[in-house]
Amino acid sequence: MDKTVLDNIRFCHVGETKLKRLKDQVMVITGASSGIGLVTARMAAERGAKVVVAARNEQALKELVNELQGKGYSAMYVTADVGREEDVKKIAEMAIKKFGRFDTWVNNAGVTIFGKAMEVTIEDMKKMFDTNYWGVVYGSRVAVAHFKERGVPGALINVGSLFGDRGTLIQSTYAPSKFAVHGWTESLRMELERDHIPVSITLIHPGRIDTPYNEHARSYLDKQPVHKGMIYPPEAVAEAVLFAAEHPKRDIYIGSQARALKFMGTNFPRITDKLMERYFPETQYARRPSNLPEESNLYKAGYGLHTRGTNIGWKRNTSIYVKASKHPAITTILLVGLFTLTWAAVKKKKS
């Protein structure tokens, strides 16, 4: 390894890592056949990135790549199950064979189960962990190994969940898989930073996102799983991912609900328990029969090329919280200004 590479590794700490502009990047995205991954792939390609999309649904991936190439973008696909380490290695190998490298790796693939903790089978739980946790571990390891070998900065982006910060009911076996992702991400970040390895590691904390996630879910319920309440578009998550690909960022929360749930769960755990026990179950299913177990994507690919689900509630067009996270200094100034004006108004009213 030459002196330039050694200098890069020695001086590029995680917080100081200089990442490429998106238009100069090769980006790997798992779980790209629908939902967040699909939207992220399209937005990344539109901004000039070369994209490598991976999922189990080969037909959907093929159509996506044809769509992107038809618009003049550079893209390729790899059919892979991220729950299999050999498949994840194949994604990296194919990306390097095609483009010579990759600069950002996005661990987005995920599955979920709706059912009570004592009712979901151990077999189903293990299969979910294969995708949600082990898929992230496999992806993280091949990405970090590639960045270390090249000796240049890279970005690793792991998609977690608001339920990775706080347990829940009904998705009580899904939450632990995301807790594991959060713990893995934090631990890996510290180790790489201590060893001065130039990798920016970002954990994305999505709130409730309007994707086919619920239609793909393995359901133990009589009623169809859905999101209710405030729901954010997958574009908001994609915006956060693309920002993290260019700017080192520790955490990005998608929506104030994700940040609020973490704050409440950390500082007022018993109150949060009681509130969630009372209100959360009914926000996770609709008044129609549930999909059949064999229609889920737990053991096989789900239908592809859909970005939205059949969720119910206030569907937001964007996430102000994401936009604020991209400009923390400006946001702080505005909040201080707002507080100052409010304080002055209150003081004037009292005088």
Side-chain angles (χ1 to χ4, degrees), residues 136 158 180-190 201-203:
V136 171
N158 293 338
V181 168
H182 290 206
W184 163 263
T185 303
E186 291 186 354
S187 301
L188 179 63
R189 181 191 291 118
M190 288 189 291
I201 300 182
T202 301
L203 180 61

Side-chain angles (χ1 to χ4, degrees), residues 194-260:
R194 188 174 187 274
D195 292 339
H196 308 312
I197 305 301
V199 182
S200 170
I201 300 182
T202 301
L203 180 61
I204 306 293
H205 304 246
R208 288 176 165 174
I209 310 299
D210 186 17
T211 70
Y213 161 96
N214 302 75
E215 283 70 41
H216 289 163
R218 166 66 170 98
S219 175
Y220 282 72
L221 308 179
D222 294 330
K223 298 175 182 178
Q224 175 59 28
V226 296
H227 287 323
K228 291 181 181 178
M230 187 182 297
I231 306 167
Y232 295 89
E235 285 81 4
V237 187
E239 180 183 0
V241 169
L242 298 188
F243 180 78
E246 293 183 311
H247 307 88
K249 189 81 174 174
R250 179 186 177 91
D251 298 275
I252 303 181
Y253 292 83
I254 314 301
S256 56
Q257 64 180 216
R259 195 70 183 88

Side-chain angles (χ1 to χ4, degrees), residues 294-311:
E294 54 267 27
E295 295 176 3
S296 81
N297 71 347
L298 185 59
Y299 291 94
K300 61 180 179 61
Y303 60 84
L305 297 180
H306 287 246
T307 60
R308 296 296 199 278
T310 56
N311 299 294

Side-chain angles (χ1 to χ4, degrees), residues 67-139:
E67 170 197 321
L68 297 178
Q69 291 178 343
K71 295 179 179 179
Y73 306 139
S74 186
M76 66 169 289
Y77 75 87
V78 183
T79 307
D81 180 345
V82 299
R84 296 166 53 89
E85 186 176 12
E86 57 268 34
D87 280 17
V88 177
K89 289 181 176 179
K90 181 178 71 173
I91 299 170
E93 290 166 0
M94 296 296 288
I96 294 168
K97 182 178 180 180
K98 173 73 173 179
F99 297 116
R101 71 182 199 284
F102 55 84
D103 306 287
T104 293
W105 183 289
V106 184
N107 284 313
N108 166 73
V111 295
T112 191
I113 298 173
F114 283 71
K116 293 182 178 180
M118 297 302 292
E119 296 176 358
V120 176
T121 67
I122 297 298
E123 180 184 12
D124 282 357
M125 288 190 215
K126 287 182 175 180
K127 184 60 179 176
M128 179 174 58
F129 264 78
D130 282 344
T131 299
N132 291 4
Y133 176 66
W134 287 110
V136 171
V137 172
Y138 300 148

